[in-house]
Amino acid sequence: MKIPEKILFSKEQIENRIRELVSSIAEDFRDREIVIVGILKGSFIFLADLVRLMYEYNIHPQVDFMILSSYGGSTYPSTMVKIERDLSISVEGKAVLVVDDILDTGRTMQYVKERLRWLEPEIVRTCVLLDKPARRIVDITPDYTGFQIEDEFVVGFGLDYNGFHREKPYIAVIQNPESAD
Ligand code: 5GP
Ligand code: MG
């Protein structure tokens, strides 16, 4: 069945915003050894756009990924977070930029920050395409945010519902995702 959607941010809006983000990241991270840590799977498109633009700003990071799983339903991540795949390159003494698609309850990002602290990076900063502050449970604010959104379930630009919609070049709200298929 076709799920009704409402477009929140167009391809052009997202492109422009990512350029602004990279411009501030470039200023803050200049002259450091940088590791970009992407949280899979949702961050992969956002991260690819960020990293490609970094080249234009003369920023030359290493890139690594973590896969985390949260127990529970697909729409509302529940309490427990587990590492499915950890980092494979050293971040010791380096500047780390953690990139995720969306900050919701904040549990995933807090877990990643705690994990990273053990690896003794020089600094850790966080960057998310979307921030949904209404649902925050953990006290955490991203250092770089693309857009703030209301408490709605969104898909597109890497974000999925049941594994689908990631390829969409825009971000859209889908209604009642739990009863949609
Ligand atoms: P948190 O740990 O901050 O609650 O959850 C973060 C993760 O939940 C995100 O990385 C994402 O996978 C998922 N998530 C939270 N809100 C949404 C949403 O509106 N749409 C989609 N597709 N995933 C979401
Ligand atoms: Mg995610």
Side-chain angles (χ1 to χ4, degrees):
M1 133 177 186
K2 175 112 178 62
I3 300 174
E5 30 171 70
K6 176 182 84 192
I7 294 184
L8 282 189
F9 304 108
S10 69
K11 182 171 178 280
E12 290 71 29
Q13 280 175 302
I14 299 170
E15 269 168 21
N16 292 337
R17 186 65 188 128
I18 293 180
R19 188 168 283 279
E20 290 174 355
L21 289 178
V22 173
S23 164
S24 353
I25 293 167
E27 246 172 66
D28 301 347
F29 279 70
R30 191 153 304 290
D31 301 324
R32 295 181 195 266
E33 267 191 279
I34 303 166
V35 181
I36 311 283
V37 173
I39 310 301
L40 290 176
K41 302 173 187 171
S43 72
F44 78 109
I45 290 181
F46 177 44
L47 183 144
D49 280 2
L50 282 175
V51 168
R52 273 182 295 212
L53 272 176
M54 283 181 180
Y55 177 83
E56 292 181 21
Y57 287 82
N58 209 20
I59 301 282
H60 306 291
Q62 290 180 290
V63 179
D64 204 352
F65 295 96
M66 288 176 81
I67 301 181
L68 300 160
S69 61
S70 45
Y71 305 97
S74 53
T75 316
Y76 292 105
S78 59
T79 329
M80 302 295 290
V81 181
K82 187 176 129 217
I83 299 182
E84 304 280 357
R85 185 213 185 259
D86 208 347
L87 295 181
S88 63
I89 59 179
S90 168
V91 297
E92 195 180 330
K94 297 177 186 167
V96 175
L97 183 67
V98 183
V99 175
D100 205 357
D101 51 359
I102 184 165
L103 196 70
D104 187 26
T105 65
R107 286 192 185 109
T108 307
M109 197 54 102
Q110 189 199 39
Y111 189 86
V112 170
K113 284 180 85 174
E114 273 167 22
R115 166 77 190 115
L116 283 167
R117 210 161 20 166
W118 287 94
L119 306 174
E120 302 184 346
E122 188 202 3
I123 56 162
V124 176
R125 297 285 180 269
T126 55
C127 176
V128 294
L129 178 59
L130 301 169
D131 181 14
K132 215 193 269 186
R135 294 204 353 118
R136 198 79 89 253
I137 286 170
V138 173
D139 181 20
I140 184 169
T141 307
D143 296 297
Y144 307 95
T145 301
F147 304 98
Q148 281 205 353
I149 61 168
E150 305 293 315
D151 184 6
E152 293 178 301
F153 192 82
V154 294
V155 296
F157 216 84
L159 290 103
D160 75 310
Y161 172 61
N162 275 352
F164 292 95
H165 306 284
R166 295 192 198 274
E167 79 288 3
K168 293 182 168 162
Y170 52 81
I171 290 173
V173 174
I174 54 174
Q175 267 85 39
N176 301 320
E178 289 302 348
S179 60
D181 52 341

